[in-house]
Amino acid sequence: MKLPSIQRLAAAAWATAQRFPLVLACAAVAAIAAMRAVEADTLEALRPVAAASLGLPLLTGLTLFAERRNAGALLHWGLQALGVAVLLLFYWRWSNWTEPTIGLRYFHLSVTLHLLVAFIAYLGVRQPNGFWQFNRALFFRFCLGGIYTFVLFGGLALAMAGLDNLFGIDIDDLSYPRLFFFLGFVFQTWFFLAGVPEDFERLERHDEYPTGLRVFAQYVLLPLVSLYLIILTAYLGRVVVTTTWPSGWIGYLVSALAALGIFSLLLVHPRRGREGHAWIDTYARVFWIALVPSVVMLLLATFQRIGQYGITERRYLLLVLAVWLGATAVFYAVTRSREIKGIPLSLAALGLLTFVGPWSAYDVSERSQIGRLEDLLTEHAVLEAGTITPRAPTVEIPAEDWRQINDVLLYLTGWHGTAGIDGWFAGGVAAVDTIGAERTPTWWAESGRRATLIADHFGLEPAEGLLPDPRGFTWVEPPGGRDAAVAVSGFDEALFDVNLLDGRRMFDGDSLAFDAAPDSLATTIRLGGTALATTSFAGLIARAARSGTSTAPGRVELPPDSLRLDLSRDDLAVRIHVTTLRIRLLDGAQQPTSVRGTVLLRREEDGEP
């Protein structure tokens, strides 16, 4: 095999740069910005990285669209300018979003733009074999580029480490992530673009089908899909027999089933209708029909949670995906169509529709949660005629209603800001929310404090129990949390950050162990295998529920003395300062799931503590 010459490689690289100049410019910007972000270590530093990396699929797709239509220079560069404008708009809007919103929006738009690349060159063109061959070439090129990139990075990183350790040449630790970003953004992108097909008519005539691809799809993916179908069908039977609602976890399995099933059918698509491959059509129809009950369960589970807690971005997108899966399954099961271009096209259209506009996942979710909060406050006579009237004296309401009010406020302050409820407050919400005066969303810790300020203004309090955070946990800790100072005078030894449910430390040459029985509120302290004492956390939990100060949903503070446990046995005195107590409601009872603290120990000559 004759290897390509340096001149030939350089010519190919130059031709790629001429074909995709702005895509490679975005790759360079993303690489440089990522290198700088390593040192900055802030979310704001990722802003140019995110915007530039979105330019890779967007500008590639627009280039392919112009090429396929033999567009002139004016249309070609006009489309590129439109793409750059979209990236600048994303960069500008970044400052209005918080961390969870940014991550979801970036992922949402990135998936949509990558789907765009899959079909845009064949928009309005009926060439089914060319469409499949085009996407096969892109998929193979991307995977091959990934292998080259990781091998290059591993080899060069090892060489740099060798220079550092063998020759004493100082290699900055940050050089390794910088190398990774350069290869990942510049080399990988350039290599991938060099393999993007140009002759679309030739692709339609191309009949190559790798045997390894068929073996992978037929003997790896299809059995996995069958296994998932069996599990979900059995679970459906259980749901029907027990008349219980489907678990929320079903969304993951149905999504995995759909992704693997559709991917496997796409891989074997060129063999459909060929002699000896009639089983593919049969399998495809069975798959689509069998997928329908799973989609129905997913819809039921999603609607149940929307009915309980309203719409959020994730529930909205899951609902849209479930509806799309159901419609797609019915279409292919009834029509037995072999058209596959509609799959990425319809998904990209849905991705775009759900990203922008008043019907987007983000706008609909905000309105849903504001409506949910409005109903709760109206029910408890806090919101009347669109105006907040705090209850005085304070009124007790069911703990679940109080938790839901706090959940909505935490969601709004962390995801969308409080502009949507500003009109409810005399003088605006800023008169109450003194932390978020700009009404914009803020980071998680700050949004929790803002939610507490607003909730306290309503004059409501829970009737009973501890209020968990959105994940169902309650954290009890002293002011300052795990970093709070602890007085150690009068003791011989201090053990910090000890796991009080299942921890092991050394003291005077013996093993000091903490053993908590499953589902127990107590832990037994053992020294050298001998049980010294058993202490219960029930008192701490009761104290937190009775007199703790709520600093945010799921966060309760107690004075340090209220989190102290004193024990003694024979000649040993033990004092425990609990620094973190995490509780979860299990089977109707509060159970500690994590307890950590500082343990002080002292040997007593006379056995007195």
Side-chain angles (χ1 to χ4, degrees), residues 200-545:
F200 298 102
E201 300 303 324
R202 182 183 177 187
L203 285 175
E204 179 62 18
R205 300 189 301 269
H206 194 55
D207 195 39
E208 179 186 353
Y209 183 76
T211 302
L213 200 62
R214 179 186 63 81
V215 170
F216 175 68
Q218 186 173 346
Y219 297 106
V220 177
L221 290 182
L222 294 183
L224 279 176
V225 172
S226 301
L227 175 62
Y228 286 170
L229 280 173
I230 292 171
I231 292 173
L232 284 171
T233 303
Y235 182 70
L236 174 61
R238 178 186 172 187
V239 168
V240 172
V241 171
T242 60
T243 63
T244 58
W245 283 96
S247 166
W249 197 84
I250 195 176
Y252 297 106
L253 197 57
V254 173
S255 300
L257 166 65
L260 286 177
I262 293 173
F263 185 55
S264 61
L265 290 175
L266 291 177
L267 290 183
V268 298
H269 176 75
R271 302 295 95 180
R272 293 184 70 173
R274 302 288 184 93
E275 184 178 352
H277 294 86
W279 65 270
I280 298 178
D281 281 331
T282 303
Y283 187 91
R285 188 155 187 263
V286 170
F287 167 75
W288 292 118
I289 292 173
L291 186 61
V292 172
S294 298
V295 172
V296 170
M297 284 196 296
L298 177 57
L299 286 169
L300 289 175
T302 305
F303 276 121
Q304 181 196 22
R305 278 148 189 81
I306 288 176
Q308 291 174 323
Y309 308 113
I311 298 174
T312 62
E313 284 80 359
R314 290 183 177 88
R315 292 186 194 118
Y316 180 100
L317 294 174
L318 186 61
L319 178 61
V320 169
L321 178 62
V323 172
W324 178 85
L325 277 176
T328 304
V330 171
F331 171 79
Y332 281 108
V334 172
T335 65
R336 304 189 184 189
S337 172
R338 294 175 181 168
E339 174 62 51
I340 59 173
K341 185 170 62 177
I343 292 176
L345 194 155
S346 57
L347 278 175
L350 283 176
L352 184 60
L353 285 172
T354 55
F355 188 80
V356 295
W359 51 79
S360 71
Y362 310 95
D363 284 18
V364 171
S365 298
E366 183 180 13
R367 290 197 300 271
S368 172
Q369 294 300 317
I370 290 176
R372 181 177 160 213
L373 180 61
E374 183 177 5
D375 291 342
L376 287 165
L377 295 180
T378 301
E379 178 183 349
H380 296 293
V382 174
L383 183 65
E384 296 178 347
T387 302
I388 294 290
T389 305
R391 301 293 299 272
T394 301
V395 175
E396 286 190 348
I397 64 173
E400 177 61 20
D401 286 1
W402 176 252
R403 186 186 66 80
Q404 290 200 35
I405 289 172
N406 277 271
D407 285 352
V408 174
L409 290 172
L410 185 62
Y411 167 83
L412 291 176
T413 54
W415 282 71
H416 297 282
T418 54
I421 60 174
D422 186 64
W424 296 356
F425 297 82
V429 70
V432 176
D433 177 14
T434 54
I435 299 176
E438 296 298 321
R439 303 180 305 173
T440 54
T442 48
W443 309 118
W444 183 263
E446 189 171 290
S447 66
R449 295 195 294 273
R450 293 175 63 191
T452 300
L453 280 175
I454 298 172
D456 288 346
H457 178 70
F458 297 149
L460 304 174
E461 64 181 22
E464 73 286 324
L466 292 168
L467 301 176
D469 63 14
R471 297 172 300 169
F473 293 105
T474 302
W475 300 76
V476 181
E477 52 194 13
R482 296 171 65 172
D483 297 327
V486 174
V488 298
S489 60
F491 289 86
D492 300 327
E493 189 164 341
L495 306 176
F496 297 97
D497 197 29
V498 178
N499 180 355
L500 301 175
L501 296 181
D502 185 25
R504 300 288 187 275
R505 293 295 179 90
M506 296 301 296
F507 174 67
D508 274 2
D510 286 325
S511 172
L512 184 70
F514 296 84
D515 295 317
D519 302 328
S520 172
L521 291 172
T523 187
T524 300
I525 304 173
R526 304 178 188 276
L527 182 62
T530 302
L532 297 178
T534 298
T535 184
S536 174
F537 302 113
L540 298 184
I541 296 174
R543 205 173 298 147

Side-chain angles (χ1 to χ4, degrees), residues 82-95:
L82 177 63
V84 172
V86 171
L87 299 180
L88 291 175
L89 179 62
F90 179 88
Y91 182 88
W92 173 67
R93 290 289 297 168
W94 175 284
S95 60

Side-chain angles (χ1 to χ4, degrees), residues 13-47:
W14 175 243
T16 301
Q18 289 180 305
R19 187 184 178 195
F20 299 101
L22 290 186
V23 180
L24 290 174
C26 283
V29 170
I32 294 170
M35 293 177 192
R36 296 181 63 183
V38 172
E39 296 182 62
D41 195 27
T42 62
L43 189 65
E44 180 63 22
L46 295 177
R47 188 175 184 175

